[in-house]
Amino acid sequence: MKKFYDKLIQTRHYLHRHPELSGQEYQTTDFLKKYLEDLEIRILDSNLKTGLIAEIGSGQPIIALRADIDALPIFEQTNLPYASQNPGVMHACGHDFHQTSLLGAAKLLKSMEEDLRGTIRLIFQPAEETSCGALEVIGTGYLTDVKAIVGFHNMPQLKANQLALKPGAMMAGVEKFKVEVEGISSHAARPDLGVDTVITLTSMVQALQVLVARTVSPFEANVLSITHIEAGTTWNVLPQNGFFEGTIRSFSPSSQKKLKEDFIKIVENTAENFGARVSITWDQTPPVTYNDPDLTELLFENSKTFAEVVEARPSTAGEDFAFYQEKIPGVFAFIGSNGADDAPDLHHDTMTIDDQAFKVSVPYYVESALCLLRCYK
């Protein structure tokens, strides 16, 4: 197996040197396609612009394995010999590791294709970082006949031999908002002749900060962060327009819905109180990444044969794998990729991965697929 894992390491390092942004993964897709064709794995006609879907085996049940392939707009500072050769773009989230893990699993599953009792569908998904890719895959129709889907994300805080799972919420549901306020501009010396956009904005921000603290149970984890605010261009004029933006994170779909409803009420009522106009824009963002309880328990035990399995600590980050889980049962794991006390986190310009983690990530795909084929047969 040493030669097998050495080849995977070389493959990941190649992909790490050649990262591509969300929706622009053309060379990555060509590389994946050739890799799979060399293994004589059939590639489906999905009409995806980037990314691809392939299959091993035949018949029902169909189990899907998913890996994301896009990188981030970050200047790499690792000084690794295989650091990014695409300035300003980096696999700072480890998607090079994810897709290479699925390539390794594909090779092993292909070698046992004649014995498979069902189909393994391989999803190399684009544009996870922009929360678009999963919906593009769902739009192909290749999820409608799938019984269950399996995915993972590397986690630098876990050691390379560890795998973390839990039923229910694994990653937060995400709301991204932008609130735009329009008042009436006036000279700063005559604010009575205008409608103060700055006061309206800051009053909204202050009121929203108590939304989680005073309306949500202290036993639930929720976050509301306002991260960007702009208004005005000079010191002596009340601006006509301004805005702020930020995010809401929740592990409970019902809490997420209630927070959004209360957010809208506070913003609209504050605008009305000051006589300003307001509009709220909500981006397309993923819901809660919610693991099927029965399947998670099954894979938790099954994974003990190749990893140290621990109970996962949920992450407040978002993950568009959640869109799949709205359609079919799914299990999403965290796989250790560093484990050092000072390991740089995801999306950091010095984030690195311990290649020994392949010895957990590849079996996770393979053994989970085989286990679920048996489960649904």
Side-chain angles (χ1 to χ4, degrees):
M1 291 295 285
K2 184 178 185 303
K3 182 181 290 187
F4 170 78
Y5 283 112
D6 285 346
K7 174 67 181 303
L8 286 187
I9 292 170
Q10 292 173 11
T11 300
R12 183 183 85 80
H13 292 183
Y14 171 83
L15 290 168
H16 191 89
R17 283 195 301 270
H18 301 91
E20 295 178 292
L21 295 175
S22 304
Q24 301 175 30
E25 312 96 329
Y26 297 104
Q27 292 183 11
T28 303
T29 300
D30 289 343
F31 177 87
L32 295 169
K33 183 176 180 181
K34 184 178 187 308
Y35 197 107
L36 295 173
E37 288 175 340
D38 288 346
L39 293 173
E40 298 183 347
I41 293 174
R42 64 184 176 275
I43 296 172
L44 304 179
D45 184 12
S46 64
N47 290 320
L48 289 171
K49 185 178 70 171
T50 56
L52 59 85
I53 303 173
E55 278 188 347
I56 301 169
S58 62
Q60 287 285 346
I62 301 175
I63 304 300
L65 304 177
R66 175 270 203 174
D68 37 17
I69 67 173
D70 53 332
L72 287 158
I74 291 176
F75 281 91
E76 183 162 355
Q77 303 293 331
T78 62
N79 296 317
L80 291 167
Y82 54 89
S84 172
Q85 296 177 3
N86 186 359
V89 184
M90 177 189 175
H91 271 300
C93 204
H95 296 183
D96 54 331
F97 172 66
H98 300 173
Q99 59 188 301
T100 306
S101 299
L102 189 51
L103 289 175
K107 180 177 176 64
L108 296 181
L109 289 165
K110 180 64 179 181
S111 70
M112 57 183 81
E113 185 170 27
E114 292 184 2
D115 298 321
L116 292 178
R117 297 190 175 185
T119 303
I120 308 298
R121 190 161 288 167
L122 311 172
I123 299 174
F124 291 88
Q125 182 209 296
E128 188 278 329
E129 297 294 354
T130 56
S131 301
C132 299
L135 294 173
E136 292 176 10
V137 171
I138 291 170
T140 68
Y142 280 118
L143 216 67
T144 56
D145 54 355
V146 172
K147 293 294 185 183
I149 187 166
V150 173
F152 80 87
H153 205 292
N154 80 90
M155 195 58 65
Q157 291 74 29
L158 296 173
K159 296 177 182 177
N161 66 329
Q162 291 181 316
L163 184 150
L165 266 174
K166 70 176 293 294
M170 276 287 283
M171 300 183 75
V174 177
E175 298 286 357
K176 179 184 176 184
F177 57 79
K178 183 175 183 179
V179 175
E180 296 177 275
V181 170
E182 181 181 357
I184 297 175
S185 180
S186 69
H187 196 292
R190 291 297 306 272
D192 56 304
L193 299 179
V195 172
D196 197 328
T197 297
V198 173
I199 291 293
T200 306
L201 286 169
T202 55
S203 297
M204 288 175 180
V205 170
Q206 186 173 10
L208 290 170
Q209 292 309 301
V210 300
L211 189 56
V212 171
R214 290 296 178 264
T215 66
V216 177
S217 167
F219 300 104
E220 292 187 16
N222 295 271
V223 175
L224 191 159
S225 293
I226 295 167
T227 57
H228 182 196
I229 183 168
E230 286 189 23
T233 58
T234 189
W235 67 280
N236 61 351
V237 176
L238 296 184
Q240 181 172 337
N241 302 100
F243 73 89
F244 64 85
E245 57 187 346
T247 182
I248 299 172
R249 308 287 170 121
S250 177
F251 293 111
S252 164
S254 59
S255 289
Q256 187 173 353
K257 181 174 182 290
K258 180 69 162 53
L259 279 170
K260 188 173 180 179
E261 291 172 349
D262 290 345
F263 180 101
I264 293 170
K265 288 179 184 176
I266 288 174
V267 167
E268 291 182 344
N269 289 341
T270 304
E272 184 178 359
N273 289 342
F274 286 99
R277 295 181 180 180
V278 66
S279 64
I280 309 173
T281 303
W282 302 90
D283 276 19
Q284 181 174 271
T285 46
V288 177
T289 305
Y290 194 89
N291 279 346
D292 180 272
D294 293 334
L295 295 186
T296 301
E297 181 179 354
L298 185 67
L299 296 191
F300 190 100
E301 293 302 317
N302 191 66
S303 298
K304 290 179 179 179
T305 60
F306 57 84
E308 177 189 342
V309 185
V310 298
E311 184 170 351
R313 181 180 180 180
S315 168
T316 51
E319 166 60 64
D320 78 351
F321 188 86
F323 288 122
Y324 300 126
Q325 292 174 311
E326 286 189 318
K327 303 294 183 182
I328 57 175
V331 178
F332 195 79
F334 298 146
I335 290 179
S337 57
N338 193 311
D341 292 338
D342 59 349
D345 204 355
L346 303 172
H347 291 215
H348 195 277
D349 59 10
T350 61
M351 185 264 191
T352 57
I353 286 178
D354 183 347
D355 286 315
Q356 293 302 308
F358 280 124
K359 295 178 181 178
V360 171
S361 62
V362 174
Y364 168 71
Y365 275 137
V366 173
E367 297 304 325
S368 295
L370 297 177
C371 179
L372 292 177
L373 284 180
R374 294 192 296 268
C375 172
Y376 281 100
K377 194 65 180 177

